Amino acid sequence: MTSTSRKTEDPATAPSIAGARPTRQRRAVASALQSFDDFRSAQDIHDLLRRSGENVGLSTVYRTLQALADNGDVDMLRTEEGEAIYRRCSTSHHHHLVCRACGRTVEVEGPAVEKWSDSVAAQHGFTDVSHTLEIFGTCPTCA
Amino acid sequence: MTSTSRKTEDPATAPSIAGARPTRQRRAVASALQSFDDFRSAQDIHDLLRRSGENVGLSTVYRTLQALADNGDVDMLRTEEGEAIYRRCSTSHHHHLVCRACGRTVEVEGPAVEKWSDSVAAQHGFTDVSHTLEIFGTCPTCA
DNA sequence: TTCTTCATGAGAATCATTCTCAATGCGATT
DNA sequence: AATCGCATTGAGAATGATTCTCATGAAGAA
Ligand SMILES: [Zn+2]
Ligand SMILES: [Zn+2]
Ligand SMILES: [Zn+2]
Ligand SMILES: [Zn+2]
């Protein structure tokens, strides 16, 4: 390899925001996201960082999380109460099976659902279609 | 008909809250819900009532809407921003196809989706399963 | 009507999220 | 290294939806 600078994309590691500076704060948030498997709120993640010694402003946590979500690098959904919660995720389109008790989350795919959704929308003449779908239940451990 | 008092359930009209007093305010909210076809926020509905002459406190609008939603008499979902919005709906389980531009909403059913959801959850050992599913798009009129 | 209980609403309180904007950090360029 | 230009940060104020408080009013039973 020559001395030419390259984008060094870590294969399976924390995501970075396209066209943004990889600051200490953004790295810290991205890293924190790797440390849990359930959905957490911006404030939860802020606390997590605080406790782990990383000092990141709450505003920055909000901003970073939103940027990552817009970028498709984390999944964001809303609690019953309307609070935004985040979780790292695979990049392909998928949905979630979430435990109501402990928050444990499984990513699931359903090609049939995708097709159904598009077809139903088409039947009614809707275009530019998207959808949201989450499944909630009690996981084996919590049952 | 005798003079015996009965529960007069209007067949296809505004819903009432089970075990609650049918007050002027609750009737007004239930009635307002009959006057639109898209999803509206509590505050929108409060304004609607205000403008139509009915004077109902904002707290009461919130309380009534939540009670109706808990009762399954109206559907509640959340905007991208997390705001709760409400709409009268049929009593059977269904989902929504919503126009992003004008809010026009179509109720849709998908037995296959219901089965898929339950089966996926079961495969992962989840019990007591429920789900949320909404489809968004641009309606023919807005296209 | 009288009593008991539930419902109402004006305004304060909550609480997540956004905004403000001066201070700072990053990267590129001399 | 010194410097300029601009993105980023964060403390605290502001916002805005929703909830709470609690004194007052209405509904229903007897
Ligand atoms: Zn669980
Ligand atoms: Zn999907
Ligand atoms: Zn439309
Ligand atoms: Zn369903």
Side-chain angles (χ1 to χ4, degrees):
Chain A
M1 315 301 175
T2 71
S3 59
T4 314
S5 76
R6 289 175 306 161
K7 287 182 182 172
T8 308
E9 295 275 7
D10 294 5
T13 321
S16 58
I17 301 167
R21 295 174 183 170
T23 63
R24 172 184 65 80
Q25 290 89 337
R26 298 217 250 242
R27 264 191 292 265
V29 170
S31 163
L33 282 164
Q34 301 299 131
S35 71
F36 55 86
D37 268 80
D38 47 351
F39 281 89
R40 307 260 179 118
S41 73
Q43 313 221 28
D44 286 344
I45 295 170
H46 179 244
D47 286 349
L48 207 59
L49 289 168
R50 263 293 160 72
R51 276 196 281 278
S52 77
E54 287 287 353
N55 210 300
V56 182
L58 182 56
S59 300
T60 300
V61 174
Y62 271 105
R63 279 189 293 241
T64 303
L65 250 15
Q66 281 165 357
L68 288 171
D70 287 348
N71 224 51
D73 292 320
V74 302
D75 280 357
M76 182 251 261
L77 56 83
R78 301 226 169 238
T79 66
E80 191 71 18
E81 294 75 42
E83 189 180 5
I85 50 180
Y86 304 83
R87 176 183 187 273
R88 76 172 184 291
C89 68
S90 60
T91 52
S92 62
H93 180 79
H94 62 268
H95 300 282
H96 302 103
L97 172 56
V98 184
C99 175
R100 275 193 213 87
C102 71
R104 189 150 77 85
T105 298
V106 180
E107 295 186 359
V108 297
E109 279 180 60
V113 173
E114 312 298 323
K115 291 197 195 80
W116 174 79
S117 158
D118 290 346
S119 116
V120 162
Q123 276 167 37
H124 290 274
F126 280 60
T127 50
D128 190 22
V129 181
S130 67
H131 62 258
T132 66
L133 165 56
E134 315 299 337
I135 308 175
F136 300 96
T138 306
C139 81
T141 308
C142 292
Chain B
M1 317 304 178
T2 70
S3 59
T4 313
S5 76
R6 287 176 308 162
K7 287 182 182 174
T8 309
E9 295 276 6
D10 294 6
T13 321
S16 57
I17 302 167
R21 294 172 183 171
T23 63
R24 171 183 66 78
Q25 290 88 336
R26 286 178 183 164
R27 264 190 292 263
V29 171
S31 163
L33 282 164
Q34 301 300 128
S35 70
F36 56 87
D37 268 80
D38 47 351
F39 281 89
R40 307 261 178 116
S41 73
Q43 311 220 33
D44 285 345
I45 295 171
H46 180 244
D47 286 348
L48 207 61
L49 289 167
R50 262 295 161 71
R51 275 195 281 278
S52 77
E54 286 286 353
N55 209 300
V56 181
L58 182 56
S59 301
T60 300
V61 173
Y62 270 104
R63 278 189 293 243
T64 304
L65 250 16
Q66 281 165 357
L68 288 170
D70 287 348
N71 223 51
D73 291 320
V74 302
D75 280 356
M76 181 251 261
L77 56 84
R78 300 221 171 243
T79 65
E80 191 71 17
E81 294 76 41
E83 188 180 8
I85 48 181
Y86 304 84
R87 177 184 187 272
R88 75 172 185 292
C89 68
S90 59
T91 52
S92 62
H93 180 79
H94 62 269
H95 300 283
H96 303 103
L97 172 56
V98 184
C99 175
R100 277 194 212 84
C102 71
R104 189 150 76 86
T105 297
V106 180
E107 295 186 356
V108 297
E109 280 179 61
V113 172
E114 312 300 322
K115 290 196 195 81
W116 174 79
S117 159
D118 290 348
S119 116
V120 161
Q123 275 167 37
H124 290 274
F126 280 60
T127 50
D128 191 21
V129 181
S130 66
H131 62 258
T132 66
L133 165 55
E134 315 298 335
I135 307 174
F136 300 97
T138 306
C139 81
T141 308
C142 293

